[in-house]
């Protein structure tokens, strides 16, 4: 019998309790391990929620059931109908004794990767055989946390009155300059994969949506392999009207803080499985200016000239000094894209911010330019041609409110939530310079 027939799972492994003594259950999952000792077999069945022991004593089960148990191999997919028997000596105070076992599908041997985590594997092998790697309870825990993170982020946005949108990822021109773009052939034309929803979410402000957010892919032709860059990443993006940079930072703080709380409260088991030191942050994050950040770097012997973007060495020095989560504000205008609003009194600095976790950038945001003339001027002063921004620029001519927003890298956010050093760990099927499959 390799089909379900009329069998349906009655319980996940974690739902079976000694109090269910005498009840019939149907369990389904993978064979995590099997031990057959003459007249007795032990099957550890694994499902999404954990593992459960099935005991198969030759005297107590039908001949057919015992014969099936003997045929079972590691990672076979099985369904077990059986009785819960309370037993103080059993691992969780009960055992399940089968009345029938169905092998729904056999797994070939040898396995290219051992999901029971007994045999360690390097990250490349793991990513090559990702579907097997993902069966490992610890890896599943990561992605349960990722799902919780996305849910929490959405909840906060909805609570705060934001509207979820989807903008195109096939785009005609570069958002902020061309170096990080992936060109693609689009019928007779050249097009690009979207590197950011920036221009579209600003156009939503001209459309009167007031507060929008989008969770979607961004594509960047990052040349170098680092532990914090991918070529396809998920960005949590937002834009809000009648708001300034401070309002945008407040929303970012809420989104990040609430996610920590939700994971802390709802993913205790996963945190424990991962063995991570999960600490709730302060509700308000520290805020330092770019000038203060430069002073910190310089005081630690890392030379930074005013106006430069922060180097990796500078980020490390600043990260060592600061708490876990902190903002850097008041950036030099020339380090930021053309749509960033400059300070009224000192146009050398702008209303941009980054959210950092130690040395890692999590998010960049700013108050934007909402005046057409100023925007055109900024585009030109950065050496670009306003004609390339046709429909985007038009949105600023007929009633564009003041607005601000940010983009938060979902995969980087995962790195800090789950204490991972390599961003690839936080993505099901990561894309980097060397990896386009699976
Ligand atoms: P970095 O300087 O670290 O390369 P960035 O300043 O180029 O990042 P932004 O354009 O500010 O990135 O994008 C907003 C956020 O999106 C970043 O703070 C980061 O969390 C995330 N992000 C950007 N590029 C990548 C990438 N290649 N891989 C993963 N996440 C990314
Ligand atoms: Mg940035």
């Amino acid at each position: 019998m390799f089909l379900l027939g009329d069998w349906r799972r009655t319980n996940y492994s974690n739902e079976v309790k000694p109090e269910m003594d005498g009840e019939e259950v149907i369990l389904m999952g993978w064979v995590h391990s099997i031990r057959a000792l003459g007249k007795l077999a032990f099957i550890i069945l694994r499902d999404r929620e954990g593992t459960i022991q099935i005991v198969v004593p030759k005297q107590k089960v039908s001949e057919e059931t015992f014969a099936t148990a003997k045929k079972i191999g590691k990672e076979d997919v099985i369904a077990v109908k059986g009785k819960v028997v309370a037993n103080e000596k059993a691992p969780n105070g009960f055992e399940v004794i089968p009345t029938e076992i169905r092998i729904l599908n056999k797994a070939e041997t040898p396995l290219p990767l051992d999901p029971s985590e007994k045999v360690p594997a390097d990250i490349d092998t793991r990513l090559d055989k990702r579907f097997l790697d993902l069966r490992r309870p610890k890896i599943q825990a990561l992605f349960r946390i990722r799902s919780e993170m996305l849910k929490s982020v959405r909840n906060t946005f909805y609570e705060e009155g934001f509207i979820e949108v989807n903008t195109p990822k096939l785009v005609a021109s570069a958002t902020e300059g061309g170096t990080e773009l992936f060109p693609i052939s689009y019928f007779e034309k050249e097009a690009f994969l979207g590197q950011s929803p920036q221009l579209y979410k600003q156009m939503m402000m001209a459309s009167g949506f007031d507060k929008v957010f989008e969770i979607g892919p961004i594509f960047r032709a990052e040349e170098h392999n680092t532990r914090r860059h991918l070529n396809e990443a998920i960005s949590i993006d937002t834009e809000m009207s009648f708001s300034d940079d401070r309002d945008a930072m407040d929303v970012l703080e809420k989104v990040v803080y609430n996610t920590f709380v939700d994971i802390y409260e709802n993913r205790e088991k996963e945190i424990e499985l991962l063995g991570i030191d999960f600490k709730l942050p302060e509700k308000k994050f520290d805020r330092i200016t770019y000038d203060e950040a430069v002073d910190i770097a310089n005081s630690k012997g890392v030379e930074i000239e005013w106006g430069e973007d922060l180097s990796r060495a500078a980020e490390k020095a600043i990260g060592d000094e600061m708490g876990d989560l902190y903002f850097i504000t008041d950036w030099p205008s020339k380090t930021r894209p053309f749509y960033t609003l400059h300070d009224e009194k000192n146009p050398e600095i702008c209303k941009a911010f980054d959210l950092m976790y130690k040395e890692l950038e999590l998010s960049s945001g700013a108050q934007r330019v909402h005046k057409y003339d100023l925007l055109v001027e900024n585009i030109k002063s950065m050496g670009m041609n306003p004609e390339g921004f046709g429909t985007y620029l038009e949105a600023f001519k007929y009633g564009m409110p003041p607005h601000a927003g940010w983009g938060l890298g979902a995969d980087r956010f995962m790195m800090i939530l789950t204490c991972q050093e390599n961003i690839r760990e936080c993505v099901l099927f990561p894309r980097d310079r060397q990896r386009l499959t699976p």
Side-chain angles (χ1 to χ4, degrees), residues 113-157:
L113 191 82
D114 181 12
S116 69
E117 290 182 320
K118 281 189 191 119
V119 188
D122 63 78
I123 184 147
D124 271 322
T125 312
R126 288 179 36 222
L127 291 176
D128 284 342
K129 311 287 176 222
R130 190 60 153 164
F131 71 94
L132 276 172
D133 184 49
L134 289 164
R135 285 187 199 169
R136 296 179 163 194
K138 273 189 185 171
I139 313 292
Q140 288 225 338
L142 273 178
F143 289 93
R144 290 294 283 266
I145 291 178
R146 186 171 169 121
S147 170
E148 186 74 33
M149 177 263 285
L150 291 170
K151 179 177 164 195
S152 173
V153 166
R154 278 204 168 85
N155 282 348
T156 302
F157 276 126

Side-chain angles (χ1 to χ4, degrees), residues 328-374:
I328 303 178
T329 63
D330 302 89
W331 287 76
S333 300
K334 66 177 182 186
T335 63
R336 293 287 162 151
F338 66 87
Y339 47 76
T340 312
L341 188 67
H342 299 173
D343 189 87
E344 304 94 299
K345 296 191 197 91
N346 177 8
E348 295 291 299
I349 60 170
C350 65
K351 295 176 180 295
F353 57 85
D354 273 5
L355 177 65
M356 307 291 295
Y357 182 90
K358 298 198 173 95
E359 57 175 76
L360 183 71
E361 179 191 317
L362 290 181
S363 172
S364 285
Q367 184 168 351
R368 325 293 191 186
V369 178
H370 66 283
K371 292 282 194 186
Y372 177 82
D373 295 340
L374 198 53

Side-chain angles (χ1 to χ4, degrees), residues 191-337:
F192 303 94
L193 295 177
Q195 66 183 162
S196 153
Q198 182 64 32
L199 306 189
Y200 287 99
K201 57 182 188 164
Q202 288 192 265
M203 284 161 82
M204 298 319 293
M205 299 301 98
S207 310
F209 281 76
D210 270 20
K211 298 166 158 191
V212 301
F213 77 99
E214 174 168 16
I215 302 178
I218 55 171
F219 302 92
R220 300 196 177 183
E222 315 273 4
E223 294 221 15
H224 306 291
N225 259 323
T226 78
R227 288 169 170 264
R228 63 187 200 288
H229 289 100
L230 290 171
N231 295 110
E232 176 177 346
I234 298 294
S235 178
I236 299 162
D237 259 279
T238 182
E239 207 66 29
M240 56 206 89
S241 287
F242 307 103
S243 303
D244 66 10
D245 47 331
R246 303 284 140 171
D247 301 317
M249 286 162 76
D250 289 345
V251 173
L252 180 52
E253 226 164 32
K254 267 191 198 143
V255 164
V256 169
Y257 178 77
N258 290 352
T259 305
F260 270 93
V261 172
D262 283 338
I263 290 173
Y264 188 74
E265 288 179 353
N266 304 326
R267 288 288 160 246
E268 207 178 347
K269 195 179 108 191
E270 284 76 9
I271 292 169
E272 199 189 308
L273 238 172
L274 286 167
I276 50 181
D277 181 22
F278 191 92
K279 285 192 301 264
L280 284 183
E282 299 288 325
K283 224 169 168 166
K284 291 276 159 199
F285 310 156
D286 283 339
R287 298 180 180 196
I288 57 167
T289 62
Y290 168 88
D291 286 7
E292 287 165 333
V294 167
D295 285 346
I296 293 172
N298 286 340
S299 76
K300 300 199 160 203
V302 181
E303 285 301 313
I304 282 279
E305 213 166 299
W306 196 94
E308 282 173 32
D309 210 345
L310 299 178
S311 61
R312 278 304 285 154
E315 284 176 342
K316 284 204 176 98
I318 299 158
D320 281 348
E321 179 80 16
M322 298 299 302
D324 288 348
L325 285 157
Y326 62 99
F327 284 105
I328 303 178
T329 63
D330 302 89
W331 287 76
S333 300
K334 66 177 182 186
T335 63
R336 293 287 162 151

